[in-house]
Amino acid sequence: MSARPSLFSEPRPKTAGYVRVAVERAVDRYPDGLTYAIPESLADLRPGERVIVPLGRGDQPTAAYVIDRSDSTELDPEKIKPVRERDRAAVRLPGEVMQLARWISGYYAAPIGMTLASMLPAAVKKNVGAVERTMIDLAAPIPENERLSQQQRRVVDVLTGLPETDRPIEMRKLATLAEIRTTTPIRGLLDRELLRATRKTAIEAVWSDHAVDPFVPDALTPPQRTVIDAITDSLDRGFSVHLLCGVTGSGKTEVYIRLIERVVQSGKIALMLVPEISLTPQTGGRLIGRFRDHRVAVLHSGLTAAQRHQQWALVASGAAPIVLGARSAVFAPLPDDRLGLILVDEEHDGSYKQDQVPRYHGRDVAIRRAQLSRCPILLGSATPSLESWHNATVPAGGANGRPRYTLHRLTERVPGAKLPAVRVVDFAKQMRQFRDRRVHLIGPVMLEALQRVLKSGAQALILLNRRGYANYIACPDHFCGWTMQCDDCDVTMVYHKNRALPTGGYVRCHHCQSEQKLPKTCPLCGKSISTFGLGTQRVEEELTATFPDILKEGETLLRVDSDTMHGAKDFHDTLGRFGRGEVRVLVGTQMIAKGLDFPGVQLVGVINADTAINLPDFRAAERTFQLVSQVAGRSGRGAQPGVVIVQSFHPETPAIQLAAQHNYERFASIELKHRRECGLPPVTRMVRLILRDEDHVKLTGDARRTADALKSLMDPGVRMRGPAPCPIARIAGKHRQQIELIAPGPAPLQKLLAAGRDAGILRAGTSMAIDVDPIALM
């Protein structure tokens, strides 16, 4: 499709060729892009660059990305508008990232322009923090007999002593290192051509110091060495996928570091993904401590705008041989042909799945990126996703085939550490042992264990995967039956305490984020309302009341959830204080269940292991197993053995019992059998369509028409479920209907999605979400 010129366009300049571009709009009508002419002033325009083009009849200046260019076009040149200008930030996405964007756009049924826009941080687009600096380096070796002043000699000595990775160096920074007050001695050396100066646009940002951890184990365990040798052998053999299933504390991070060493030695770049920014301080500290002579770039959403631009520019330059980040770091702008290995830590984690267009899964996109870069990828977890486990254990293409992934195992913790003893207790029976009528969330067994740990000077983690103070606000009169629900969602409101407010707190919907005052009385019968249920704030309150001499809120006791952790600095500070022993107990949601390694933790308490088990989602058992197993693994990582207490209203649930036994393979075998019997992923593949509208009647009709239209395009092997109301039937004032499409493999679903997009049936936007390979069905 060409972009037509307006009636009153200026005389057309000479053309240096043509480009197809993807505009930063939710436009899915032209998946191959729009064609524009290249003016001679932009003759060197390349694919991947961000440009400004005139769009529509009003020639609205619009950001776009160059998909490809050619010398000619089959369209009428007189009807093609020219590109207006290069983007001022002068950014360019490498060729491999552009190929990745095209794949994401097709596989996840997302407009190509929105896909590309999501790859480029806003700070980069806006050029945040960009300044021009004078960079200094040695012009040539300076003879010993060269006459220099004392200050000039210090400048030369500093430059000579710097590693090549730190040169050239900014002029004022060089003056500081040489302990001179002005830059005059440096300018004198420049005038004599003994130093060389270059002007460079740099991205400046105040950077938080990482807690550097240079620890190196005395020796690798034989299983670690076996895994490292096996994957090292594949580093120069092109694309391959490896799954490392290692129990918590088995030394998976050390395996990652040794593999990164080998990649860096070969002159390539290693890209490591972690699911949450809460994991980057510790992981970043380990990498920086072990690779002091190499730059480690860190990419995640918790950075300031200037920091994000700074790190992005560092990656794009190829100067950082190690790149670490959360989900979006999979789009790191590494120079083409430099990627040597991708590592995905905690590959099972749901945080890798994006919940907005494009709804990609970071792990699966990382696999595709490794394929495009022709390099290996290593997925690691103590509790792998059933998708990865299935690909690593079930032969592809029948019994005589081989699994798609290579499986590696670490079945024991490193020497000196043992898996913790896990005790599952009946939550209901525990509560009945209290004689008063107050709400108790910490039962006698956990209470006794916590007393023992605090008395010994050790530390504890207490998990409850639910924020707030009380998740149920209701009238105590059973004949009345009133409960407080969100006005715009079909869910109950959650009470959050806040001492700064005159009312002492507020109620919030955790889906649309609307807030209200807590009513004093029932609006129907006038009785005083009750707030009950579970929440991290209530656990925090109970702990400080039970141990007033030891646990002080905000001092020796900290809460870790999305209400208290507002950015990377909060995580850095909290984990730093906990690591130094200043904080004795962390109370938190799933944030504290992932990847944290603190040898002082001797107790992990799970307040309620059932928060996800009864959800109407076929992955509920898998998520429960992973959460309990992962948080249990935080205990006993030092010289002292650890203890884990798990409270549950359903203690005999297989997912909870097998997590307590650290028996992942048995759980995976049982769960895969259930999935196979029901025809559910990973044995099959799924696409979930969510239709939304404020008008319930209109939505119901739209959902039925969409389903009927898709049925006419479906291959025989595709099954359809629905349309039907979503489990949460209304969010943010919009009613919700779902259609599930299930097929034996991805090909029939991809064919159906492409046909649906071409026919205008499927359009990702505010009224429809297209979720390929969904991980949550609420």
Side-chain angles (χ1 to χ4, degrees), residues 418-431:
K418 294 183 178 180
L419 286 168
V422 182
R423 182 176 177 184
V424 181
V425 297
D426 189 313
F427 203 172
K429 289 181 180 178
Q430 289 282 294
M431 295 306 104

Side-chain angles (χ1 to χ4, degrees), residues 218-233:
D218 294 334
L220 293 170
T221 65
Q224 283 178 317
R225 191 173 297 282
T226 298
V227 173
I228 292 167
D229 290 344
I231 298 174
T232 298
D233 288 343

Side-chain angles (χ1 to χ4, degrees), residues 331-349:
F331 304 134
L334 306 171
D336 290 336
D337 299 321
R338 289 289 309 280
L339 188 56
L341 175 67
I342 301 178
L343 305 111
V344 183
D345 191 25
E346 309 293 356
E347 66 83 29
H348 68 277
D349 198 279

Side-chain angles (χ1 to χ4, degrees), residues 224-355:
Q224 283 178 317
R225 191 173 297 282
T226 298
V227 173
I228 292 167
D229 290 344
I231 298 174
T232 298
D233 288 343
S234 72
L235 288 178
D236 58 356
R237 295 182 181 177
F239 170 68
S240 58
V241 186
H242 302 262
L243 175 64
L244 175 56
C245 180
V247 299
T248 56
S250 59
K252 293 188 292 296
T253 302
E254 186 60 31
V255 170
Y256 301 154
I257 289 174
R258 297 298 178 103
L259 289 170
I260 291 171
E261 284 179 347
R262 294 190 162 119
V263 171
V264 172
Q265 287 169 2
S266 71
K268 294 279 190 173
I269 295 173
L271 170 61
M272 182 171 179
L273 304 182
V274 293
E276 295 264 15
I277 61 173
S278 60
L279 298 184
T280 53
Q282 277 203 318
T283 310
R286 290 282 298 273
L287 292 177
I288 292 171
R290 293 285 288 275
F291 296 95
R292 290 181 175 274
D293 293 332
H294 299 282
R295 290 182 176 179
V296 178
V298 182
L299 299 171
H300 60 70
S301 60
L303 305 178
T304 67
Q307 289 169 350
R308 198 168 173 83
H309 191 184
Q310 178 192 53
Q311 295 296 293
W312 197 93
L314 178 64
V315 173
S317 71
I322 303 162
V323 181
L324 168 70
R327 178 181 62 224
S328 61
V330 73
F331 304 134
L334 306 171
D336 290 336
D337 299 321
R338 289 289 309 280
L339 188 56
L341 175 67
I342 301 178
L343 305 111
V344 183
D345 191 25
E346 309 293 356
E347 66 83 29
H348 68 277
D349 198 279
S351 301
Y352 282 120
K353 179 72 170 177
Q354 167 93 344
D355 61 0

Side-chain angles (χ1 to χ4, degrees), residues 671-687:
E671 188 65 15
L672 279 175
K673 181 175 180 290
H674 293 330
R675 304 275 184 93
R676 192 173 291 108
E677 291 169 348
C678 298
L680 292 169
V683 180
T684 57
R685 302 295 280 270
M686 177 185 286
V687 172

